[in-house]
Amino acid sequence: MYNKENAFLFRGGGGAMSTKESLELEEITSENPLLSSIRSIVETAFYGNNVQEVFDRKTAYQLAKGSPGTIITDITVSHAEEQDLPADARTLVFNDGSIVGRTASARRIFEDLGKKQSKYEKILREAVYQSRKRQFYHTKVIVGLSEEFSVQSHLLIPEGFEDNLYSYILNFQPANAKTLATYQKSASFDEGDLYIFCDPEWTHEAFPNGLVLFDSLHNTAAVLGLRYFGKLKKATLTLAWALGNRNGFIACHGGMKQYTSNDQTYTMAVFGLSGSGKSTITLAKHSEGHSVTILHDDAFVISRKNGFATALEPSYFDKTQDYPSDDPAISSFLTCQNVGVTCTSKGEKVLVTGDIRNGNGRTVKSRYATPDRVDHLSEKIDAVFWIMKDDSLPPIIKINDPVLAASFGATLATKRSDAENITTKRQLDELVIEPFANPFRVYPLREDYQAFRELFVKQQSACYVLNTGYFDDKKIKPETTLSIVERIVQQTAEFKSFGPFEDIHYLPIPDFPVSFEDTSYKNLVKQRLDSRLRFIEAQIGKDLLPDEAKESLENLIQKLN
């Protein structure tokens, strides 16, 4: 039940906050830009007499342990007490059912619905009404781990889904006295808190794959008919990224790490979809000679004003397939989703990894999995790496022109993975374009284009494209990619001209020769550039890109003719 005293306490007793959880009476008007129909429908549900507040991890852990279907393994969580968990906390497993990935087809952006907005308002009102006879939990977390960027998010989720409640409060920072003390000092935004209503048991004949409704301009979302925890995580990040974009930050679905050697730093950001190698590159251990710190492998923002970078989450949402069942790193697994369990000869319940049970087994993994973890980096970004699976590209190219660098980011060519529940005829191995590797964008594409172009110009960040797929029918293995990155960091990579292109160079790799004398290869490069050009030409309305993006690709194609 809504507790007024707790609400006041967790607002910091009326202190300043980054985003607004409450309004003064005179501010509650139809002219207030922080209010909307969708936001009011969602937020109102949080104050029902069927709502229990759960703001701490220990309570969430006990609720998840007792939730029907939860498997309490015999894996002791490392650093449990440092994470506000019971000292004897165990890794908890919960499995969803047939769907084990994100369902992109469920997404609707309210501001894009036009005349259909009233239809979705009715659907949401009815969804909230139909949920009234069940008990719900309200938790709140902090998204963003520095005083420069930090926003508060609220989640309402029904009884029976305590494992997702627990995973949510683990994945983000719990809004407790310690974190709120820092939050009160954070930069203020003229924005409301994030509010997310979740009902995995919702059904509607018009939405057999569920519905995720975003009113991003008012920091509100509803996740309906979907059990997968990753949808809650990404719904929260979607709203936080959109808020950041409106307030002078670059939204980044990628990883960032920093190398230090002889008091010199090299900071790099990698952008790619799940399964592209983003986490592998970000979290990889490297040879001696420099120390490495990790910001995050999935979600952060970059200040357009000063270039600072801030991680949005303390934990990681990692795939379990690459971890052998006896890997010591498994002690950092806090919860697991869609993962098998078996018994050892000692009678201990342990994980069956390797995606034996199903694809896209996942874990919420603690920050202690990476000992050299930081939450904020204040140094300039030396390099941006677009990760692609474009078979026309050698293992790495370097793009020297800011317009072309941003254009390649806007036409990032890659392939889907089993992290997605694909409901269309598209196949996992089909080459697709996902601008800036961010399928969660709810604001105009051109705003990301301008932000990254500005990064290349103002900070003079270098731009590279890594191909982690195939080239000349040969798989580019992770060790090849990692050795390339290391050579760049150590400044031992010697690039050569990439065919007739003045602003593109490549690093020769013996096993992956490049020859523009080969007509079939030259035609493949042209074909892929044509695909990028067609993608840019197909953008309309808010996603229309500046003419310079189209012209940069046309110039490349002309050089091949």
Side-chain angles (χ1 to χ4, degrees):
M1 184 177 296
Y2 174 71
N3 186 310
K4 185 166 67 174
E5 290 184 2
N6 280 350
F8 183 76
L9 170 65
F10 282 98
R11 288 186 184 111
M17 292 292 187
S18 172
T19 49
K20 297 181 179 180
E21 185 177 3
S22 60
L23 297 172
E24 300 298 333
L25 275 175
E26 60 270 19
E27 295 179 297
I28 306 173
T29 69
S30 58
E31 287 76 32
N32 190 328
L34 301 184
L35 299 175
S36 73
S37 60
I38 297 297
R39 183 176 181 86
S40 185
I41 293 167
V42 167
E43 185 187 350
T44 300
F46 280 73
Y47 307 120
N49 60 6
N50 60 333
V51 174
Q52 175 186 345
E53 293 177 337
V54 179
F55 295 154
D56 69 286
R57 286 176 170 176
K58 287 181 180 178
T59 301
Y61 174 74
Q62 296 300 333
L63 288 169
K65 276 181 65 177
S67 184
T70 296
I71 300 167
I72 306 168
T73 72
D74 291 302
I75 302 166
T76 301
V77 171
S78 62
H79 301 278
E81 291 179 289
E82 292 100 312
Q83 299 173 84
D84 299 322
L85 294 173
D88 61 348
R90 301 290 189 267
T91 302
L92 304 185
V93 175
F94 188 84
N95 296 321
D96 294 324
S98 62
I99 306 302
V100 294
R102 289 184 287 103
T103 305
S105 61
R107 190 173 81 154
R108 301 291 188 277
I109 302 172
F110 187 69
E111 48 263 35
D112 292 345
L113 293 174
K115 295 180 180 179
K116 294 182 179 180
Q117 287 184 345
S118 60
K119 167 188 171 181
Y120 283 85
E121 290 170 343
K122 288 178 63 177
I123 289 171
L124 184 55
R125 289 198 303 269
E126 186 65 20
V128 172
Y129 174 78
Q130 293 296 340
S131 72
R132 77 196 189 285
K133 293 183 179 180
R134 286 175 289 147
Q135 295 298 305
F136 276 73
Y137 301 106
H138 168 203
T139 193
K140 61 176 75 172
V141 296
I142 306 300
V143 184
L145 307 181
S146 79
E147 294 179 9
E148 186 168 270
F149 187 88
S150 187
V151 301
Q152 188 166 241
S153 178
H154 304 253
L155 172 69
L156 194 65
I157 189 168
E159 187 177 66
F161 294 89
E162 290 83 359
D163 289 87
N164 276 355
L165 168 75
Y166 178 50
S167 290
Y168 191 80
I169 205 170
L170 289 170
N171 190 79
F172 299 102
Q173 282 196 117
N176 56 31
K178 180 181 177 181
T179 58
L180 287 173
T182 300
Y183 180 61
Q184 289 179 16
K185 304 173 186 176
S186 299
S188 295
F189 305 119
D190 190 18
E191 303 264 3
D193 284 1
L194 315 186
Y195 277 88
I196 300 171
F197 174 81
C198 173
D199 185 359
E201 296 183 334
W202 177 86
T203 59
H204 194 293
E205 62 180 7
F207 302 95
N209 298 310
L211 171 64
V212 183
L213 182 62
F214 288 104
D215 179 3
S216 60
L217 295 177
H218 300 93
N219 301 327
T220 308
V223 180
L224 306 174
L226 295 161
R227 307 177 192 128
Y228 179 58
F229 170 71
K231 206 65 187 179
L232 291 178
K233 165 187 156 75
K234 282 303 195 289
T236 306
L237 293 175
T238 295
L239 295 177
W241 276 325
L243 184 154
N245 177 68
R246 291 192 297 271
N247 289 276
F249 293 85
I250 306 174
C252 297
H253 179 224
M256 179 174 282
K257 66 196 304 183
Q258 183 179 84
Y259 299 81
T260 302
S261 178
N262 298 324
D263 296 326
Q264 298 292 316
T265 62
Y266 185 91
T267 307
M268 59 174 282
V270 293
F271 296 83
L273 290 186
S274 178
S276 67
K278 168 169 53 77
S279 293
T280 299
I281 296 168
T282 305
L283 303 178
K285 296 179 181 178
H286 293 269
S287 62
E288 296 180 3
H290 44 243
S291 61
V292 178
T293 52
I294 307 297
L295 182 75
H296 205 265
D297 73 333
D298 187 58
F300 59 98
V301 294
I302 300 171
S303 169
R304 295 180 68 171
K305 179 181 179 182
N306 53 37
F308 293 176
T310 297
L312 299 186
E313 309 158 294
S315 303
Y316 306 97
F317 190 49
D318 201 2
K319 289 191 172 188
T320 60
Q321 68 181 45
D322 296 328
Y323 294 88
S325 293
D326 60 354
D327 193 326
I330 286 178
S331 67
S332 66
F333 290 9
L334 303 172
T335 64
C336 288
Q337 300 82 30
N338 306 313
V339 174
V341 173
T342 191
C343 259
T344 68
S345 58
K346 298 178 181 179
E348 297 173 332
K349 293 188 289 293
V350 297
L351 304 179
V352 177
T353 55
D355 279 0
I356 293 173
R357 181 184 186 272
N358 49 260
N360 199 39
R362 289 278 176 165
T363 176
V364 175
K365 186 175 68 174
S366 85
R367 65 180 297 129
Y368 294 98
T370 50
D372 298 316
R373 172 68 193 272
V374 295
D375 295 331
H376 184 72
L377 289 171
S378 57
E379 291 79 12
K380 73 178 288 289
I381 297 166
D382 294 286
V384 167
F385 291 77
W386 307 129
I387 306 177
M388 305 198 191
K389 293 194 174 182
D390 180 345
D391 57 354
S392 74
L393 300 177
I396 188 162
I397 62 173
K398 182 178 182 182
I399 302 176
N400 297 321
D401 176 63
V403 171
L404 193 59
S407 297
F408 263 71
T411 57
L412 191 146
T414 188
K415 295 181 180 180
R416 305 294 185 192
S417 75
D418 57 9
E420 297 185 50
N421 172 38
I422 298 176
T423 60
T424 66
K425 293 181 179 179
R426 284 185 167 178
Q427 302 298 313
L428 288 178
D429 60 354
E430 181 182 344
L431 195 67
V432 296
I433 289 177
E434 192 59 73
F436 306 105
N438 191 351
F440 315 105
R441 182 186 307 98
V442 289
Y443 51 84
L445 172 59
R446 63 176 175 269
E447 293 180 7
D448 268 353
Y449 174 88
Q450 295 288 6
F452 280 103
R453 184 187 185 283
E454 184 180 277
L455 186 71
F456 295 127
V457 172
K458 288 188 176 181
Q459 289 204 38
Q460 297 184 322
S461 301
C463 177
Y464 299 92
V465 177
L466 286 167
N467 177 11
T468 59
Y470 285 80
F471 182 74
D472 195 23
D473 293 327
K474 284 185 281 189
K475 179 72 175 78
I476 302 170
K477 297 180 179 180
E479 51 264 34
T480 299
T481 300
L482 294 174
S483 68
I484 289 170
V485 171
E486 193 146 320
R487 289 171 65 184
I488 291 172
V489 173
Q490 294 174 344
Q491 299 182 1
T492 60
E494 296 183 6
F495 285 80
K496 294 185 177 181
S497 296
F498 185 55
F501 308 126
E502 299 171 358
D503 293 313
I504 304 179
H505 295 76
Y506 81 106
L507 179 64
I509 307 293
D511 292 339
F512 301 94
V514 173
S515 175
F516 277 84
E517 300 300 319
D518 182 340
T519 303
S520 62
Y521 175 65
K522 185 176 178 180
N523 289 337
L524 179 62
V525 174
K526 185 175 183 297
Q527 179 185 335
R528 295 287 184 260
L529 290 174
D530 280 332
S531 296
R532 286 184 162 84
L533 178 60
R534 288 196 301 272
F535 177 84
I536 288 178
E537 290 176 333
Q539 303 311 302
I540 59 174
K542 70 177 187 178
D543 290 331
L544 187 67
L545 292 177
D547 289 341
E548 65 180 21
K550 173 185 173 183
E551 292 166 359
S552 69
L553 294 175
E554 288 176 335
N555 289 337
L556 296 183
I557 294 170
Q558 187 176 5
K559 292 181 185 297
L560 287 173
N561 292 332

